[in-house]
Amino acid sequence: MVKSLLKRLLPLPRVVIETERFTLRAVRRDWLGARSLHWSEDTDFVEGLGWPPGPYKPRQWRRRFNRPDNRKIFHFAIFPRGTETLIGAHGVNFTEPGIASLYVGIGDHAWWGKGVVQEVRAALLDFIFDQAGGHRAFGMVHASNTASIYNYQRLGFRHEGTLRRHRTLARTGEQVDLLAFGMLKEEWQARRRGVKSAAIAGIR
C-alpha cells in the first residue's frame, strides 16, 4: 500500500508530442478528470467512447480513466498549439507487451470534422512504433460511430473483425456491432514511406 501511494506521488516521465496544429501532453488522470468533467454531460461524447451515460460525480468521471504511468499507459491531453485550451484526449494503453489499445475523444464540438483525430493519431502511431516499442495498435468502435470508423480507415487501419450485437446504446437500447481495427508496425511504416514518396513526386 505504501509503495502504491509513493508511486502515485512520484512525478510522471514528461512526454510531449507536437504536430502541425496541436500539442499532445501526457497528463495524470486527476488532471484530465477535473478539466474534462463537463464532457461527461455530453451524451454524444460519452456514447462515442462506449461508456455508460451520466450524470457523473467528479470521482466517478475521473475513475473512467486508467491510472497512467507514462510508460505503458498514457492519457494525452490535446491542445491547439500555443494554447492551454483542452479540446480532447487520446489514450494509449499497452494491454500486452508491444500491443497498444487506443481511444480518443474530442470534447470541443468546434473541432469536430476538422481532422484532429487523424493528425494526432498519426503522430501517436509514430510514437508507439518508433519510441514506445510497439508492434501493433488497435481500437474498438461501435458500428454506429461512423466518424471513428472513418478515422481508422483514413489512416489505413484494417477492419480485423466484428463482434455482432456486442454493445447496447444507452440512449436508444439499440444493439450494435463492435468493430475491431488494427495496424501493424510494418504497415504503418510502409504507409508513411508512401506518403513521403507521393509528396516528393508532387514537388517535382
Side-chain angles (χ1 to χ4, degrees):
M1 184 175 178
V2 173
K3 287 184 178 180
S4 177
L5 179 60
L6 289 174
K7 189 175 181 180
R8 295 181 191 180
L9 296 176
L10 289 173
L12 295 179
R14 179 175 169 80
V15 184
V16 178
I17 298 172
E18 299 280 357
T19 74
E20 182 178 352
R21 295 184 294 162
F22 305 105
T23 297
L24 311 179
R25 188 166 72 236
V27 296
R28 291 186 178 274
R29 76 170 180 178
D30 289 352
W31 186 98
L32 181 58
R35 286 161 179 78
S36 67
L37 180 61
H38 60 289
W39 296 347
S40 70
E41 301 171 2
D42 183 341
T43 53
D44 290 327
F45 178 87
V46 174
E47 188 172 85
L49 289 173
W51 291 353
Y56 285 89
K57 295 180 180 179
R59 185 184 181 195
Q60 292 173 320
W61 181 249
R62 181 178 70 248
R63 295 185 71 176
R64 295 305 309 178
F65 303 94
N66 293 334
R67 189 181 301 281
D69 57 14
N70 286 7
R71 293 180 177 87
K72 298 299 180 184
I73 302 174
F74 304 82
H75 295 303
F76 286 96
I78 305 171
F79 310 92
R81 286 189 68 162
T83 80
E84 288 294 316
T85 302
L86 179 67
I87 65 169
H90 199 307
V92 175
N93 180 7
F94 282 88
T95 56
E96 298 181 42
I99 301 178
S101 172
L102 310 177
Y103 84 82
V104 68
I106 305 302
D108 187 340
H109 284 221
W111 285 95
W112 285 20
K114 295 186 178 179
V116 179
V117 174
Q118 293 174 47
E119 184 172 331
V120 302
R121 183 168 284 162
L124 286 177
L125 288 171
D126 285 340
F127 168 74
I128 289 167
F129 295 137
D130 296 340
Q131 299 180 49
H135 64 262
R136 167 175 163 77
F138 76 97
M140 307 291 289
V141 56
H142 61 74
S144 62
N145 191 342
T146 55
S148 290
I149 293 170
Y150 170 82
N151 284 322
Y152 278 119
Q153 292 176 332
R154 183 75 173 174
L155 283 171
F157 279 74
R158 295 189 183 185
H159 175 216
E160 297 182 331
T162 299
L163 303 178
R164 296 176 298 162
R165 295 171 61 180
H166 191 77
R167 179 163 292 166
T168 300
L169 301 183
R171 280 188 293 177
T172 64
E174 179 187 5
Q175 295 175 332
V176 296
D177 295 344
L178 194 63
L179 311 181
F181 287 92
M183 174 76 73
L184 300 180
K185 178 177 181 178
E186 55 268 27
E187 293 170 344
W188 180 245
Q189 291 174 334
R191 184 176 180 84
R192 294 301 265 184
R193 287 195 298 269
V195 169
K196 291 178 181 178
S197 296
I200 293 171
I203 292 172
R204 291 177 180 174

